Amino acid sequence: MQNSKIWLSSPHMGGNERKFVTEAFDTNWVAPLGPNVNGFENDLKIYQNEDVEVAVLSSGTAAIHLALIQCGVVAGDEVICQSFTFCGSINPIMYQGATPILVDSEPETWNICPIHLEEAIEDRIANGKKPKAIVAVHLYGMPYKVEEINKVAAKYNIPIVEDSAEALGSTYKNQKCGTFGKFGILSFNGNKIITTSGGGAIVCQNKADKSNAVFLATQARDDTPHYEHTTIGYNYRLSNISAGIGRGQMEVLDKHIALRRKMHDFYIEQFKNIKGVTVFSEPSKDYFSNHWLSAIIIEPSETNGITREHLRNAFAKADIESRPLWKPMHLQPVFKEVPYYGEKVSEELFDKGLCLPSGSNLTNEDRDRIENVIFTIFKND
Ligand SMILES: *Cc1c(COP(=O)(O)O)cnc(C)c1O
């Protein structure tokens, strides 16, 4: 019998998504506004923290773009960005005609290193330009070192754009990721912990920032009977259909996080007696990761030469998807001229790391297939 492909992370519907989408059709709210948009925003606000304001948008990348604009980033400015991330974190800096300044990760959370962050800020100031914003990322759902990063940002009075696209439901000291920065960013792309088939959100600290985000996301139309524009806007609002999927997904979010965390436990068990393989885990009780993707580091000098690629190829043969960690932005051809501060932490993670199937919809049979591959690679000698 033909086995079906096991994906890294695939959409997992809860059941009520159709109900909300059908309602949208039945009431003819087939537009980038309507009851599902308001309902989804309210669900997210309650989930994140009652004190924040949430605007839902067409993507996480759009949310980062609007956050940078609201931080005052314009052409010629410099913006600091974590190098070890997905291109969605950095591309909006380019959309603004600004220059990204890339910073390495620290080895505990794999996220932006507070020491190199401060080094970068001081050096840029010495060069004559104070960075306008810091894009910090909670990669794979792991919170960055929130207190250390906040402290550096506060010392130089630079706003943080908190890329929480992978970290919906993660917490640091019991506070939700996405609520620490001047702006927080969420993504509901197809492979994220919840999906609206495509979408995102900007989390704001006050109503004025939210209404400005919505204004910019709906073509910046001034308050007149005709269409009057005094600034450039964007078409970035989420549709009422997509928001309906989001409302259904919110009902199962915590359940799906628990299942992702169980996948992480499964890998801890799989690799506990295998020398040279470490499963990426929270550095202390202060950190709670949604474990959006489970990831491992394979140290070939301790595994008799078995590399990340051996395991990845064996998975591929068994029709199981796995993937190297993000390739740092300072190694990307398109960003090769961009200033970089750091050492080789993210480069090593890219060399040795692998993301493993992590979906909340994986079955016992899927886990057996994954276990078989791990066994053939590591336990057969
Ligand atoms: C997915 C993702 C984004 C972008 O979100 P989209 O909704 O796909 O535009 C940004 N940053 C990170 C770290 C992501 O994983």
Side-chain angles (χ1 to χ4, degrees), residues 59-61 64 85-86 88-89 137 139 163 165-166 187-189 192 199 326:
S59 73
T61 308
I64 295 179
T85 188
F86 170 65
S89 308
V137 191
L139 224 50
D163 183 346
E166 302 178 359
S187 168
F188 317 117
N189 207 338
K192 297 286 156 69
W326 298 121

Side-chain angles (χ1 to χ4, degrees), residues 187-263:
S187 168
F188 317 117
N189 207 338
N191 59 353
K192 297 286 156 69
I193 199 140
I194 65 168
T195 183
T196 59
S197 78
I202 184 166
V203 180
C204 305
Q205 295 295 328
N206 56 62
K207 285 200 164 69
D209 283 351
K210 175 184 170 174
S211 68
N212 194 34
V214 171
F215 170 74
L216 291 169
T218 51
Q219 304 289 25
R221 185 186 168 193
D222 292 340
D223 190 15
T224 57
H226 60 279
Y227 276 73
E228 178 93 357
H229 303 281
T230 47
T231 187
I232 296 294
Y234 302 85
N235 184 2
Y236 278 173
R237 202 69 164 122
L238 190 70
S239 90
N240 194 55
I241 302 293
S242 299
I245 305 175
R247 288 178 86 181
Q249 289 271 274
M250 287 305 286
E251 295 180 353
V252 289
L253 172 56
D254 279 334
K255 197 171 114 202
H256 288 189
I257 290 173
L259 290 165
R260 297 243 177 195
R261 288 178 53 85
K262 267 178 91 172
M263 282 309 296

